Amino acid sequence: MDHFEYRDGVLHAEDTPLTAIADAVGTPVYVYSRATLARHARVLRDALSILPRVHIAFAIKANPNLAVLRVMQREGLGADVVSGGEMARALAAGMPASDIVFSGVGKQAWEMVKGLEEGIGQFNLESEEEGVELAALAAERGLTANCALRVNPDVDARTHEKISTGKAENKFGVPIDLAAGIYARLAALPGLNMRGVAVHIGSQLSSLEPFEIAFAKVGALIAELRANGQTVTHADLGGGLGVPYKTGEVFPSPEDYAAMVARATQGWDVTLMFEPGRVICGNAGVLLTKVIRVKRPSNRPPFVIVDAAMNDLARPAMYGAWHDFDAVAPSGEKMVAHIVGPICETGDTFAMDREIDAVAAGDLAVFRTAGAYGATMASSYNSRGFVAEVMVDGDRFAVVADRILPEAISAAERVPEWLD
Ligand code: LLP
C-alpha cells in the first residue's frame, strides 16, 4: 500500500496535491512519500520479526537520497553499500558503521581501507582474491574485518537477465561448490574474521521458489563449513523481493517471504541478514512529468511527448520495464498512445500502444513505482541536467535534491588552451 491517492480528482502524495509540487519545483521531479517509505520498512521488519536474529540493511543503490536514508535510519535499518560513495552516504545519514554491509565485485583498496577505518559491520567478499587483498590491508593496520563469503548458487531467479545475479555465468560471488575451500583458506588469514555466507540471486523476483532453492544450497554449505570446523554465525540472504509495477499484479508479500525464510533456514542458528531495496522504496515514489505536446500522425496512435525522458527514468529503455502512467487530474476519458520523452533516440520510449488517461499539452502525469532505481540511475544525456527530488510528509514537502541544471554540468568542463 502506498500513499499516492486521488482526492477531489487530483492525485496527492499523502496530503499534498502533486499540482502544488509541480508549481513550486517544476517538472520533471521525483516525489517520495515519507509515510510510505517508513511504512514499508516497518512492514518488512515486522514480517521478519518471526525469525530469531535479524539485521536489515537497506540496499542504498535503490535510492541513495540522503533524506530517504534518514527515514531508513529512523526506522532502525542499516545499509548495504557497494561503493565508497554509498558508504559515505550511509554514514552521513547517521547509520552506525557497525550496521553497514559492503557488497560488490569491484571493491577498490581505498574503499576497503575506508570501510576498515570506519569500522563497518561486514564485508561481503565476492572472490578469494578480494579476501586476500582485504586481509593484507586489515593486518597492516592491526585491524580485523568481519566477513561473509558471497556464493553463487547457480540458480535462475527468473527475472530480467540484466538484473539476475545468481547464475554460474554471472560475475557475482564464488561458485558454491568451491566455497568451502575458499572459506577455509580465507579464515586462516590474519586480518579476517570469516563469520558467514552471503547470497543474492537477483532483483524484482516475482516468485519465492528461486529464493528457496538458493537458500537450501546455502544451508547445505553452512552445514559443510561447520563440519569442517569453520565458524558460521551470520547468513546474508540479500534482497530481491519484487514489487508490482502494473495495476493488478500480485507479488509475494513480506509475510510470505518471511514464512519461506523461516522454513528454509530452520536450525541454521545464525543472525540472518537482509538487503532489501526495491520492496521498501519502489512504490514510495513517482516521477511527476508534464505533457509537452501530443503529436498525432494521421494514421497511427498519437505520441504523448512528456518532459521526462530516459535520462531521468532509465528502466523502460534499459530493461523494457513497465511503469503505470496516470494523469494527475484525469478527465475520465481514455486514449491509446505511445508515451515518449524528448531525447533523440527511439529507445526514449516509456510505453507503446498503451491505454492511458486522455492527456493534452500542459497536463501533469506520473510514472508510478519510480522510487527505486529511478533518480539514482539518471544521467545528463542530451544535456538535460539532473532531475530534482522532493519528499512529502503529510501536507508539507521539501526539495531533497536540487535540480542540477545543464549549465552547472558544463561548468565542470574545460577547453584546453591548445584548442584555442
Ligand atoms: N543486495 C545486492 C548484493 C544487490 O546487488 C542488490 C541489487 C540488492 C541487494 C537489492 O535488490 P532489491 O531488493 O532492490 O531487488 N537497476 C535495476 C535493479 C538492479 C539491482 C541490483 N542489485 C532495476 O532498475 O530494476
Side-chain angles (χ1 to χ4, degrees), residues 59 61-62 80 103 150 163 165 200 202-204 238-241 245 275-279 315 319 372-373 377:
K61 63 175 79 67
D80 166 53
S103 306
R150 179 167 176 184
I163 55 176
T165 52
H200 171 82
S203 192
Q204 184 57 7
L241 189 57
Y245 279 88
E275 303 169 351
R278 188 186 325 256
V279 72
R315 303 192 69 260
Y319 316 114
Y373 307 109
M377 289 174 65

Side-chain angles (χ1 to χ4, degrees), residues 370-393:
Y373 307 109
T376 186
M377 289 174 65
S379 77
S380 65
Y381 187 36
N382 274 209
S383 292
R384 284 172 44 84
F386 284 96
V387 68
E389 296 166 79
V390 159
M391 185 178 287
V392 171
D393 178 40

Side-chain angles (χ1 to χ4, degrees), residues 20-274:
I21 295 173
D23 286 347
V25 185
T27 55
V29 55
Y30 278 93
V31 180
Y32 309 129
S33 154
R34 189 210 60 81
T36 310
L37 289 164
R39 182 174 189 281
H40 288 176
R42 250 172 255 158
V43 164
L44 187 67
R45 206 181 49 208
D46 290 352
L48 295 174
S49 69
I50 64 164
L51 303 163
R53 294 189 299 286
V54 169
H55 178 269
I56 307 178
F58 175 62
I60 288 195
K61 63 175 79 67
N63 192 324
N65 182 278
L66 285 173
V68 171
L69 298 188
R70 180 51 76 89
V71 175
M72 297 302 134
Q73 183 263 351
R74 284 169 50 158
E75 293 302 324
L77 271 55
D80 166 53
V81 305
V82 293
S83 68
E86 286 194 350
M87 199 187 302
R89 282 175 177 271
L91 294 167
M95 288 163 166
S98 57
D99 285 349
I100 296 177
V101 179
F102 190 5
S103 306
V105 293
K107 299 180 195 75
Q108 299 180 52
W110 71 267
E111 295 173 310
M112 295 197 258
V113 167
K114 183 175 158 71
L116 287 168
E117 287 174 349
E118 295 287 353
I120 63 162
Q122 180 170 299
F123 291 81
N124 285 354
L125 303 176
E126 301 248 8
S127 62
E128 184 165 359
E129 295 86 341
E130 179 194 330
V132 169
E133 198 179 327
L134 177 63
L137 292 168
E140 262 165 36
R141 289 168 176 76
L143 297 169
T144 304
N146 290 327
C147 295
L149 182 62
R150 179 167 176 184
V151 298
N152 184 321
D154 194 20
V155 169
D156 185 353
R158 295 180 225 150
T159 184
H160 192 280
E161 61 169 24
K162 288 189 186 166
I163 55 176
S164 177
T165 52
K167 296 260 286 164
E169 63 267 32
N170 300 144
K171 66 182 172 181
F172 300 97
V174 301
I176 196 159
D177 46 337
L178 302 180
I182 296 173
Y183 197 98
R185 288 194 290 280
L186 292 177
L189 298 177
L192 300 188
N193 170 34
M194 291 305 295
R195 67 176 197 179
V197 289
V199 68
H200 171 82
I201 59 172
S203 192
Q204 184 57 7
L205 271 71
S206 54
S207 152
L208 296 177
E209 213 189 331
F211 286 119
E212 199 158 359
I213 296 169
F215 298 166
K217 293 188 174 198
V218 170
L221 174 63
I222 292 174
E224 183 186 349
L225 289 168
R226 285 181 173 150
N228 295 347
Q230 299 298 336
T231 303
V232 181
T233 55
H234 290 70
D236 184 337
L237 301 182
L241 189 57
V243 301
Y245 279 88
K246 270 186 202 173
T247 311
E249 271 179 347
V250 179
F251 271 71
S253 67
E255 291 75 18
D256 298 337
Y257 175 80
M260 176 276 293
V261 172
R263 211 165 49 233
T265 63
Q266 213 166 12
W268 284 18
D269 189 24
V270 293
T271 296
L272 291 172
M273 304 172 72
F274 298 91

Side-chain angles (χ1 to χ4, degrees), residues 345-398:
E345 62 177 272
T346 302
D348 187 24
T349 297
F350 292 105
M352 293 295 285
D353 294 310
R354 178 92 67 91
E355 191 187 41
I356 56 169
D357 295 326
V359 287
D363 287 354
L364 294 171
V366 294
F367 292 103
R368 299 239 191 194
T369 318
Y373 307 109
T376 186
M377 289 174 65
S379 77
S380 65
Y381 187 36
N382 274 209
S383 292
R384 284 172 44 84
F386 284 96
V387 68
E389 296 166 79
V390 159
M391 185 178 287
V392 171
D393 178 40
D395 60 4
R396 61 182 174 177
F397 66 88

